[in-house]
Amino acid sequence: MLIYLLRRLLLAILVIVSVSVVTFFVARVIPSDPAALYAGQRPTSDQIAAARERLELDQPLYNQYFRFVRDILKGDLGTSYKTKHAILADIKTFLPATLELVIASTLMAIIIGIPVGVLAGAKHGGWLDQTTRILSIAGVSFPTFWLALVLQLFFFGTLHRLFPLSSRISNNVALFNSFPAVTGFYLIDTLLAGNFIAWRDAVWHIILPTLTLATYPISLTLRMTRAAMVETLSEKYITAARAQGLPERDILFRYALKNAIVPTLTVLGLSFAYSLTGAFLVEVIFSWPGLGKYVTDAIFNVDFPVIVAVTLIVTLFFVSINLFVDIIQAFLDPRVVLR
Amino acid sequence: MKVFTRWFGFRFAPDSIPAHLRRDPLAVVSSLIIMIMILSAIFAPLLTSRAAEGLGEPNPSEKLAPPSAAHIFGADHLGRDLYARVLFGGRTALGMGFLIVFGAVLIGAPLGAIAGYFGGWLDEVIMRVTDVALAFPPLLLAIAIASALGPNLTNAAIAIALTWWPWYTRIVRAQALALRERPFIEAAHVIGVGNFTIIARHILPNVLSPVIVQATLDLGSAILTAAALSFLGLGVQPPTPDWGQMVSTGRIYFPQRWWYVTFPGTAIFIATMAFNLLGDSVQDANK
């Protein structure tokens, strides 16, 4: 067990080191001339030379890399070429918005995906199984950005402006019912402030983006739970429980699910990590002020330091979540250690 | 986007597929859709009288015309017939899909064959690199690479393929491990054929069929990811017709001109769904 955990930890560290190398190359080596980008539009050759010195591009490559790593370790993610803001501060404001969205959609995947998956697996080949099969394949086939537009058309156009189309909160609510930013999660901050008008408004705003983002994890969770249930239900101890005359509901949700949940947890962890990047497309459409909006603006402005910093941060999350899932899995099902 | 097809732990036995698939109506339907898509991409110029508009020639007099008999899908912001654009966009989408998967196989398969055939420390190193590569968030890495290389069709395909190859390394390695023990490989070895000749001549051809099956099934995810990059402005550039880029441009005119995003978006959805459905049926047939 200990060796397994150490191996996992080592791999995670290896990943983080290679991420720093890859992002370094993306930022400093591939672009034709970072100094020209930094100097802004139509720079003079003096400006470019000054920028080159400032960015230390005249140093040997390995020196540049060590400086890059040193700055990151000091918590300095650099400054945006475009706005000249410190990127770390920017990320601190944008990250909670993305996390709020991703957590909400993961919760949705748990609430919908697991129970429906259990029921579909219970009647293997039944109508629910067939229907959810097609629905969940459709769910992973939707281009996120297009699903967002369809939902907007349906809920805003057809259902008479039931849900708002963009941003995290209405302007007038932000103006007249403002609340202090404590966690950066609006759903939590509004509750902490006891501001229910703003809370309701924030809930209303998060529904459509969450629904869009959750389609993929719901489908994934559902299919995984179903597959694991089909397998678990064929075990002998389930037959024994049935022979004892235990109620079907207890068999499904108490005995079978407990064993079927392990692969589902892995998928949930994975889809949480995937959703961090999936959220980018959703944020663009719903003007959700998160990391995705931040990075797409950076793409538009060819603002490499921002793209690199976001890649680095999200990969850190990605790796930590995977590590966390591996550890949980090893505790829940010691057999994985032996594989 | 690839997790879905990966999480069912399936193995391929291509010989057994057709008989099972014929019994599965979804497999028949999805294969039909895929065939229609491929044929209409190949014969696109014959299926529309507005091929020039499909390839990008503007037609300002019919700017944003709603769907009608003349334009069954309506027209875009430059007056181009959207039916023709979507039709020619199919070429881009399928082409991108093939390019991505082909690139990933080209990187991944030889690495897998080397790892599986030689074993030992080489295997250990290649597989750890594979683990690391799989630990990157794929879309984000593709975004970073595509923006560094500069946005165009080939670079987007390269960027995505660079996040995709490890899956093929894993498949091919598993196959190569088994092949290594087979008598004909041993025989080649004994008569003095070199290691790399064995890999190129005997291992790779024998792992080709599971790789091809897997590659076909991956086309759906490849098309979806390519569309996402194009939507972000990092993929195919105008005037080349591309579904993701059409949705991205059409978004400005949404929801008043709903047709601009609806038809290309539906095309992405149908293409991806068809490949995913077929993939799901193939997995079922192999259980």
Side-chain angles (χ1 to χ4, degrees), chain B residues 71 73-76 80-87 246 259-260 264:
Chain B
H71 300 286
F73 289 179
D76 71 5
R80 296 171 297 199
D81 181 45
L82 272 173
Y83 165 69
R85 294 288 287 171
V86 170
L87 202 59
M246 285 159 85
W259 55 90
Y260 197 161

Side-chain angles (χ1 to χ4, degrees), chain B residues 28-239:
Chain B
V28 177
V29 173
S30 52
S31 314
L32 267 177
I33 295 175
I34 291 170
M35 269 193 279
I36 292 172
M37 269 185 341
I38 294 176
L39 288 177
S40 61
I42 295 173
F43 298 108
L46 304 177
L47 295 170
T48 172
S49 54
R50 297 167 179 270
E53 289 176 26
L55 287 168
E57 189 176 296
N59 175 17
S61 61
E62 291 179 281
K63 229 184 250 181
L64 295 168
S68 63
H71 300 286
I72 52 169
F73 289 179
D76 71 5
H77 66 299
L78 296 176
R80 296 171 297 199
D81 181 45
L82 272 173
Y83 165 69
R85 294 288 287 171
V86 170
L87 202 59
F88 278 90
R91 290 182 160 189
T92 318
L94 290 173
M96 278 284 273
F98 283 120
L99 207 61
I100 291 165
V101 172
F102 185 71
V105 170
L106 215 59
I107 307 171
L111 281 177
I114 292 171
Y117 179 74
F118 287 111
W121 65 270
L122 202 55
D123 181 27
E124 191 65 24
V125 169
I126 291 177
M127 292 328 284
R128 289 300 80 75
V129 172
T130 309
D131 285 344
V132 170
L134 281 176
F136 277 98
L139 182 62
L140 194 59
L141 186 61
I143 288 176
I145 298 174
S147 57
L149 291 176
N152 66 47
L153 190 149
T154 330
N155 288 347
I158 292 174
I160 300 171
L162 279 177
T163 68
W164 212 302
W165 60 269
W167 299 106
Y168 294 101
T169 308
R170 289 196 167 174
I171 296 176
V172 172
R173 174 182 174 268
Q175 299 275 328
L177 269 179
L179 279 172
R180 190 171 62 168
E181 311 297 333
R182 297 274 292 276
F184 71 95
I185 300 287
E186 227 167 284
H189 209 72
V190 169
I191 60 170
V193 181
N195 282 328
F196 283 96
T197 318
I198 293 184
I199 289 177
R201 281 283 197 56
H202 302 290
I203 303 265
L204 283 177
N206 276 297
V207 298
L208 215 55
S209 66
V211 167
I212 288 175
V213 173
Q214 187 57 49
T216 316
L217 306 182
D218 281 347
L219 277 172
S221 321
I223 290 171
L224 196 59
T225 315
L229 274 198
S230 292
F231 175 77
L232 290 174
L234 285 171
V236 179
Q237 300 298 312

Side-chain angles (χ1 to χ4, degrees), chain A residues 7 15 18-19 26 133 137-138 141 143 145-146 149 216 220 223 270 274 277 280 296 299 304 307 311 314-315 318, chain B residues 1 3-4 7 24 128 132 135-137 140 143-144 147-148 231-232 234 254 261 265-266 268 273 276 280-281:
Chain A
R7 263 182 82 100
V15 170
S18 25
V19 167
V26 166
R133 176 183 167 202
I137 295 174
S141 305
F145 50 92
W146 182 66
L149 291 170
Y216 188 76
L220 214 58
R223 288 292 280 174
L270 262 171
Y274 268 77
T277 48
F280 288 13
T296 39
I299 292 171
F304 281 110
I307 299 173
T311 310
V314 172
T315 311
F318 205 80
Chain B
M1 309 277 160
V3 183
F4 184 73
W7 270 99
D24 187 345
R128 289 300 80 75
V132 170
F136 277 98
L140 194 59
I143 288 176
S147 57
F231 175 77
L232 290 174
L234 285 171
F254 185 84
V261 299
T266 313
I268 304 173
M273 176 102 180
N276 284 346
D280 197 64
S281 305

Side-chain angles (χ1 to χ4, degrees), chain A residues 9-293:
Chain A
L9 193 65
L10 225 60
L11 182 65
I13 293 169
L14 198 62
V15 170
I16 291 166
V17 172
S18 25
V19 167
S20 73
V21 175
V22 171
T23 46
F24 169 76
F25 268 84
V26 166
R28 297 283 175 89
V29 184
I30 305 180
S32 45
D33 192 354
L37 287 171
Y38 182 83
Q41 284 190 329
R42 298 184 192 190
T44 63
S45 56
D46 285 353
Q47 281 172 324
I48 293 182
R52 181 160 292 134
E53 202 163 312
R54 213 182 121 66
L55 297 173
E56 295 171 341
L57 292 169
D58 42 2
Q59 304 265 331
L61 214 54
Y62 60 89
N63 259 351
Q64 287 188 43
Y65 174 71
F66 284 120
R67 274 170 196 280
F68 176 78
V69 172
R70 191 198 59 200
D71 286 349
I72 292 170
L73 290 178
K74 281 198 302 196
D76 177 8
L77 289 173
T79 46
S80 154
Y81 284 168
K82 177 82 180 170
T83 61
K84 311 284 192 256
H85 283 182
I87 295 172
L88 190 67
D90 278 353
I91 286 181
K92 273 185 190 152
T93 45
F94 290 119
L95 184 62
T98 300
L99 283 181
E100 189 171 43
L101 207 54
V102 173
I103 292 171
S105 75
T106 306
L107 285 179
M108 211 151 162
I110 295 172
I111 295 168
I112 300 175
I114 295 181
V116 179
V118 168
L119 295 176
K123 291 229 165 56
H124 182 198
W127 66 268
L128 185 67
D129 193 20
Q130 298 291 353
T131 325
T132 53
R133 176 183 167 202
I134 297 178
L135 283 181
S136 55
I137 295 174
V140 295
S141 305
F142 273 117
T144 327
F145 50 92
W146 182 66
L147 181 64
L149 291 170
V150 172
L151 285 179
Q152 283 193 344
L153 187 65
F154 184 70
F155 281 104
F156 193 75
T158 318
L159 289 182
H160 302 288
R161 318 203 158 200
L162 188 57
F163 296 112
L165 288 193
S166 64
S167 78
R168 298 175 77 187
I169 200 128
S170 310
N171 284 336
N172 57 343
V173 171
L175 217 58
F176 299 114
N177 282 293
S178 61
F179 50 91
V182 185
T183 57
F185 293 79
Y186 281 12
L187 292 181
I188 297 174
D189 283 352
T190 47
L191 280 184
L192 285 178
N195 186 342
F196 290 102
I197 298 172
W199 183 76
R200 187 178 166 278
D201 192 64
V203 170
W204 238 227
H205 275 82
I206 207 174
I207 287 180
L208 281 192
T210 306
L211 208 61
T212 314
L213 189 59
T215 310
Y216 188 76
I218 290 175
S219 313
L220 214 58
T221 315
L222 198 160
R223 288 292 280 174
M224 199 64 228
T225 311
R226 174 212 168 263
M229 280 299 283
V230 170
E231 200 175 307
T232 312
L233 285 175
S234 65
E235 300 274 355
K236 288 205 178 84
Y237 64 86
I238 296 293
T239 319
R242 287 218 167 103
Q244 282 187 326
L246 290 179
E248 187 68 16
R249 204 181 60 189
D250 282 2
I251 293 177
L252 288 183
F253 286 93
R254 289 186 52 192
Y255 297 95
L257 183 59
K258 208 180 262 178
N259 287 293
I261 201 95
V262 179
T264 309
L265 277 183
T266 317
V267 161
L268 272 173
L270 262 171
S271 76
F272 184 92
Y274 268 77
S275 298
L276 279 174
T277 48
F280 288 13
L281 298 162
V282 178
E283 287 174 10
V284 173
I285 301 229
F286 288 99
S287 308
W288 192 263
L291 281 186
K293 189 95 180 30

